[in-house]
Amino acid sequence: MAERSLATVDPEIFELIKAEERRQADTVKLIPSENYVSRAVLEATGTVLTNKYSEGYPGRRYYEGQQVIDQIETLAIERAKALFGVRHANVQPYSGSPANLAVYAAFANPGDTVMGMGLPFGGHLTHGWTVSVTGRWFNAVRYGVRRDTGRIDMDEVRELALRHRPKLIFAGGTAIPRIIDFKAFAEIAQEVGAVLVADIAHIAGLVVGGAHPSPVGHADVISTTTHKTLRGPRGAMLLTDSDEHAAALNKAVFPGLQGGPHNHTTAAIAVALKEAATPEFKAYAHQIVANAQALADELLARGFDLVSGGTDNHLILIDLTSKGVAGKPAAQALDRAGLEANYNTVPFDPRKPFDPSGLRIGTPSVTSRGMREPEMRQIAAWMDEVITALAKGDAEETIARVHAEVSELTAKFPTPGLDA
Ligand code: DSN
């Protein structure tokens, strides 16, 4: 008897997946940490590789039957090394947070001093923020941005590093709209004897596409997710040039923190890395930045207040205070208009994290659909219309009209992975 399909076995889940496909296709996705994977990446993700246990590393496993899996993981490793220009790659971390925890496990002990950007300034939870175990189990010191420029305050980073002598320094984050000066971070890390960790989760695709300076040659360890600008499946990688660091990281990932790697994800990472090595991907990375700058320019022209005054990369952080609207209601209204963003804290935000002043948007997903500068100007206009109407307290009509216009636009741009 033929095996029954998902639609037959579980029509509820099947229909929900179809609904999500329609939602993703019919939405202008502006969340800067999201993307659309290619059909090839999606295909690799949904395979029998999910059936196999492979604890260990290629050639050194604790289970038999690795004839194929070893080849897949080796390909992923070799492609990661070639693409980023590093000597070692671990492609097993389940996602960004486990990858960063592996860095702690490799180079620090509970109670040690570590340093990272504070979450409200654009850092990540795992860079030592209070509510993360990294902030509870380690003595975390946090740096921020300058109030006048909205940019990382390298004087403060150096001063804090000299005063606290951290074992680890994280450079990178989730809401940093400007180029990160990895060389300056490396000089500070060397001065205090810290391991410098470049967390390039947000910008990995820009780095390999040549649209953001690489941390290679500056950072001791590079941590990245694979599913943001890199356009791979949900997963992560740890990269380094040092044999000693590689050995410590490998031990920390397995057996330190994780069990069997997710082999279907490893295969999809390998596919994404192959795609990211193409000239088309380089053009894509540069277009992400060009689109973000076009979007930022149009928002500025419409009176929006952007943290740091603009963007050098894929993301824009908007302080909505001057528009008389908070981030959460703005994000909710935009979502109902088909424009998907996320509310976000802005530096020195007087409001609470669950109801902050900011909105975070970005261009990786819309660029994956082939949208360019004219569409970015249109998106800025829609955002302005919705937010202005919301501030006046009467947004329903505007939301309905904008949603209809958004649907017309999205129908013209194929959704990668779906419109095959
Ligand atoms: N949650 C991710 C983001 O949205 O930036 C970071 O891990």
Side-chain angles (χ1 to χ4, degrees):
M1 198 175 73
E3 259 203 284
R4 297 185 306 153
S5 67
L6 173 61
T8 315
V9 173
D10 194 339
E12 254 178 305
I13 286 293
F14 177 80
E15 284 308 328
L16 287 169
I17 292 171
K18 290 290 152 199
E20 177 62 8
E21 283 182 3
R22 288 192 294 276
R23 193 197 67 79
Q24 290 194 17
D26 190 36
T27 301
V28 166
K29 221 149 79 92
L30 294 169
I31 294 175
S33 47
E34 294 185 2
N35 212 328
Y36 296 97
V37 297
S38 68
R39 178 184 170 181
V41 168
L42 207 52
E43 276 180 17
T45 309
T47 58
V48 296
L49 301 175
T50 196
N51 296 339
K52 187 75 194 110
Y53 251 119
S54 315
E55 286 179 7
Y57 291 100
R60 290 175 290 130
R61 306 281 191 186
Y62 290 83
Y63 295 77
E64 294 312 312
Q66 309 297 339
Q67 297 85 343
V68 178
I69 301 298
D70 271 5
Q71 293 181 62
I72 289 171
E73 188 169 337
T74 302
L75 261 178
I77 290 168
E78 293 305 321
R79 286 177 186 171
K81 282 159 56 177
L83 187 64
F84 285 89
V86 291
R87 293 185 52 243
H88 300 279
N90 186 311
V91 297
Q92 293 191 5
Y94 298 142
S95 201
S97 295
N100 285 347
L101 285 181
V103 174
Y104 286 89
F107 304 110
N109 289 306
D112 281 348
T113 300
V114 299
M115 201 167 122
M117 193 177 203
L119 187 68
F121 291 100
H124 188 254
L125 282 165
T126 57
H127 297 181
W129 190 238
T130 47
V131 294
S132 158
V133 293
T134 62
R136 289 174 31 218
W137 294 349
F138 296 88
N139 172 37
V141 177
R142 298 161 196 120
Y143 58 86
V145 296
R146 288 177 62 106
R147 205 179 260 276
D148 55 345
T149 61
R151 296 180 186 236
I152 296 175
D153 187 342
M154 292 310 296
D155 293 335
E156 184 195 21
V157 174
R158 180 164 182 269
E159 192 257 311
L160 288 172
L162 285 169
R163 184 154 25 116
H164 297 282
R165 302 264 156 189
K167 272 206 171 159
L168 290 174
I169 298 179
F170 280 87
T174 60
I176 305 172
R178 295 296 180 175
I179 282 173
I180 300 167
D181 189 346
F182 294 118
K183 183 167 176 282
F185 270 102
E187 282 165 6
I188 294 168
Q190 271 159 24
E191 199 175 347
V192 301
V195 171
L196 177 62
V197 188
D199 184 340
I200 61 166
H202 265 257
I203 55 170
L206 305 185
V207 167
V208 299
H212 187 290
S214 171
V216 175
H218 302 301
D220 299 293
V221 174
I222 298 168
S223 169
T224 184
T225 51
T226 46
H227 48 271
K228 300 187 175 85
T229 48
L230 200 53
R231 288 195 68 195
R234 302 196 84 88
M237 303 190 294
L238 289 166
L239 314 170
T240 182
D241 268 335
S242 149
D243 296 346
E244 198 185 325
H245 291 347
L249 290 167
N250 284 347
K251 254 202 246 170
V253 172
F254 177 84
L257 286 170
Q258 297 189 173
H262 294 177
N263 297 311
H264 54 304
T265 300
T266 307
I269 289 174
V271 176
L273 293 170
K274 184 173 183 178
E275 290 177 342
T278 58
E280 291 77 19
F281 193 90
K282 207 177 175 71
Y284 165 67
H286 285 277
Q287 189 62 46
I288 288 177
V289 177
N291 279 351
Q293 288 173 345
L295 186 52
D297 287 348
E298 187 63 30
L299 289 168
L300 286 169
R302 290 171 176 274
F304 282 87
D305 184 4
L306 308 187
V307 171
S308 85
T311 180
D312 297 328
N313 55 28
H314 63 301
L315 81 79
I316 297 164
L317 190 56
I318 308 171
D319 184 344
L320 289 171
T321 309
S322 64
K323 291 282 180 184
V325 178
K328 192 171 186 172
Q332 288 169 340
L334 289 169
D335 191 41
R336 284 193 290 125
L339 301 160
E340 190 184 4
N342 70 272
Y343 59 87
N344 215 93
T345 306
V346 293
F348 311 103
D349 203 329
R351 302 177 68 94
K352 297 252 184 297
F354 204 58
D355 184 22
S357 304
L359 200 59
R360 189 184 68 151
I361 58 172
T363 52
S365 299
V366 290
T367 310
S368 291
R369 295 185 75 160
M371 295 185 195
R372 299 177 73 92
E373 288 86 340
E375 288 77 37
M376 299 307 113
R377 289 190 279 276
Q378 178 60 72
I379 290 166
W382 282 329
M383 289 180 64
D384 189 17
E385 288 165 29
V386 170
I387 288 167
T388 303
L390 190 64
K392 287 188 186 143
D394 185 16
E396 291 317 305
E397 214 174 289
T398 307
I399 288 171
R401 175 181 52 79
V402 168
H403 201 172
E405 291 172 10
V406 165
S407 294
E408 270 177 46
L409 181 82
T410 52
K412 292 188 204 143
F413 291 89
T415 317
L418 299 180
D419 296 339

